[in-house]
Amino acid sequence: MPTKRGQALGSTATTSKKRKIDPNAQKYYAVRTGKRPGVYLTWNECQAQTAGYRGAQYKSFLTRSDAQAFVEGRNPSTASDGTQEVRYYAVAVGRDPGIYTNWEAASLAITGWKGPKYKRFDTREDAIEFIRTHGNEAAQKALREQEGQEIGPPAKKSEQSSPEAEPNIQCIYTDGSSRGNGRVGAVAGVGVYFGAGDPRNISEPLEGAVQTNQRAELTAMLRAVEGVSIDQPIRIYSDSKYSISCVTDWYRNWEKNNWKTKEGPVKNRDLIEAIRAKIEERNATGTKTLFQWVKGHASDVGNVAADALAVRGAIRK
C-alpha cells in the first residue's frame, strides 16, 4: 500500500502528537530583545515593544517562570505551542560566518572549509560571544551585519581602546612578549593595559623558568582579572587565539581528560586553572568576564600599548 506524500516509511498512527493547549489559558509574552525587554500579559503589549525593532526576539509561554527564563537568555524546554526551543549555531570561521538557528544551514557554511570553528549554544548571547571571541575580522563584520541593532555599529578605531565604548564594562588589553621564544635563553615580559596613564597598567618580566610567549600571554590575562574587583564586568582584548581558547573552550575537555592530551600533559595548566578559578568566582556573583580577539601588531591603540608594555617587561628581565 503506497504511503501518503510527506509521510515517512514505517510510520504508524501512534506517532507523537503535540500536547493539547487550552485556548483560554493565560499566556505570557516574553521579550528578550526589544524596546523594553520583559514579560507581558497581552500580545498588544508585546507587539508595542517589538514592532519595528530590528533583531527583536520574543515568544509566548504558558508560565511566567519560563517566560522570565527566556528574557534572561535561558531556553525553557518548550514554548506555549509545544514546540522545542530554538538552538543557535555560531560559525566563527567558515565559508559564511554568522549565527544560524538550524543545523542544515550552519553545515553548509562549514562543509569543505579548512579549519572551521563552530559550536552550538542555547542562547543567542552565548553564540554572539563565541564569534566575538574566536572569529576573524570577516566574522566580526558578518556578525554586525546580521545582528544589526542588537550588536550595534562597528566601533571607531579611536573608541576601541576606550573603556567608555561599552557602558559599565572595563576594557582591558593584554599581551605577552618573548625575546628568543622557544630557544635557550629566551626572556619574556607581561603587558596589561587599562588605559592611558592608568596606575593599574602592568609591565613586568615573566616569572619562572619557562619563558614562552604563551605563558606570558596567559599571565597577562591572569593579572588583568586580578586587577579588578569581583563585581566589575570586564572585556579582555587579546591577539592570542591560543590563550583565549584555553580559558573559554579547551579547558573543558582537558578537565575531563585529567589535563592530558595525546602529546602528554597540558602545557600551562597552572595558569589556565588560575584564570578559570577567578572567572568562576566572578560567575558566582553574576559578573561578566568576556574575551575578544584583536589582530596583533595592527592599528588597535590598546593592543599596541599592551604590546609595548610586554616588550618593556621582557627587556627588564
Side-chain angles (χ1 to χ4, degrees):
M1 182 176 178
T3 60
K4 292 182 180 180
R5 185 178 182 180
Q7 180 179 340
L9 291 172
S11 62
T12 67
T14 59
T15 54
S16 59
K17 299 179 181 179
K18 289 185 177 180
R19 59 176 178 170
K20 294 182 179 180
I21 304 298
D22 182 357
N24 298 317
Q26 170 67 58
K27 289 186 178 181
Y28 298 88
Y29 298 90
V31 177
R32 177 183 287 176
T33 305
K35 299 173 184 176
R36 183 176 296 179
V39 177
Y40 298 88
L41 299 180
T42 68
W43 166 243
N44 288 337
E45 291 176 304
C46 174
Q47 190 176 38
Q49 305 304 321
T50 57
Y53 192 96
R54 187 179 177 186
Q57 287 183 282
Y58 54 93
K59 206 169 185 68
S60 63
F61 294 90
L62 293 176
T63 67
R64 179 179 288 276
S65 60
D66 281 353
Q68 185 61 43
F70 182 81
V71 172
E72 294 173 355
R74 294 177 285 118
N75 279 346
S77 57
T78 56
S80 62
D81 59 1
T83 59
Q84 292 295 311
E85 271 301 304
V86 68
R87 295 292 183 264
Y88 301 96
Y89 299 89
V91 177
V93 178
R95 180 175 294 100
D96 190 9
I99 297 175
Y100 299 83
T101 55
N102 68 80
W103 172 243
E104 288 74 20
S107 64
L108 292 176
I110 61 175
T111 301
W113 191 267
K114 185 177 180 180
K117 193 170 187 64
Y118 58 94
K119 197 170 185 178
R120 191 191 80 173
F121 295 93
D122 291 333
T123 70
R124 181 178 288 273
E125 182 181 31
D126 287 343
I128 290 171
E129 280 306 319
F130 180 80
I131 293 180
R132 277 180 166 171
T133 300
H134 299 286
N136 54 24
E137 291 182 4
Q140 307 294 341
K141 180 179 179 181
L143 182 63
R144 290 192 294 265
E145 292 176 347
Q146 183 180 43
E147 298 302 308
Q149 292 181 0
E150 188 172 339
I151 297 302
K156 296 179 181 178
K157 288 185 179 180
S158 61
E159 296 175 341
Q160 288 181 351
S161 61
S162 171
E164 288 75 32
E166 294 178 279
N168 302 321
I169 295 184
Q170 171 71 60
C171 297
I172 312 172
Y173 287 81
T174 63
D175 205 358
S177 175
S178 179
R179 304 170 66 194
N181 187 49
R183 300 196 298 268
V184 177
V187 290
V190 175
V192 182
Y193 181 73
F194 285 84
D198 195 305
R200 295 172 296 179
N201 291 345
I202 296 173
S203 175
E204 64 182 27
L206 176 65
E207 299 178 354
V210 181
Q211 295 286 300
T212 64
N213 192 60
Q214 292 178 343
R215 284 194 68 81
E217 297 272 4
L218 287 167
T219 299
M221 287 185 174
L222 179 59
R223 294 286 185 269
V225 180
E226 292 174 337
V228 295
S229 62
I230 196 171
D231 59 351
Q232 172 63 62
I234 60 175
R235 181 183 295 278
I236 296 176
Y237 292 85
S238 170
D239 59 19
S240 171
K241 291 186 177 181
Y242 162 82
S243 299
I244 293 175
S245 296
C246 280
V247 301
T248 63
D249 188 11
W250 297 342
Y251 76 92
R252 295 186 179 91
N253 283 333
W254 288 338
E255 286 179 337
K256 293 178 182 178
N257 297 322
N258 196 28
W259 293 91
K260 292 180 180 178
T261 67
K262 293 180 180 179
E263 290 73 32
V266 173
K267 295 180 180 179
N268 307 313
R269 172 183 174 179
D270 56 331
L271 291 172
I272 297 168
E273 286 189 309
I275 295 170
R276 284 307 312 173
K278 288 292 183 181
I279 293 175
E280 293 304 329
E281 287 179 10
R282 295 166 59 79
N283 288 345
T285 63
T287 305
K288 290 184 177 181
T289 307
L290 309 174
F291 293 83
Q292 186 164 335
W293 177 80
V294 293
K295 186 176 181 179
H297 307 288
S299 57
D300 191 292
V301 176
N303 177 257
V304 171
D307 177 66
L309 291 170
V311 170
R312 192 185 310 163
I315 295 175
R316 288 168 51 194
K317 185 78 173 180

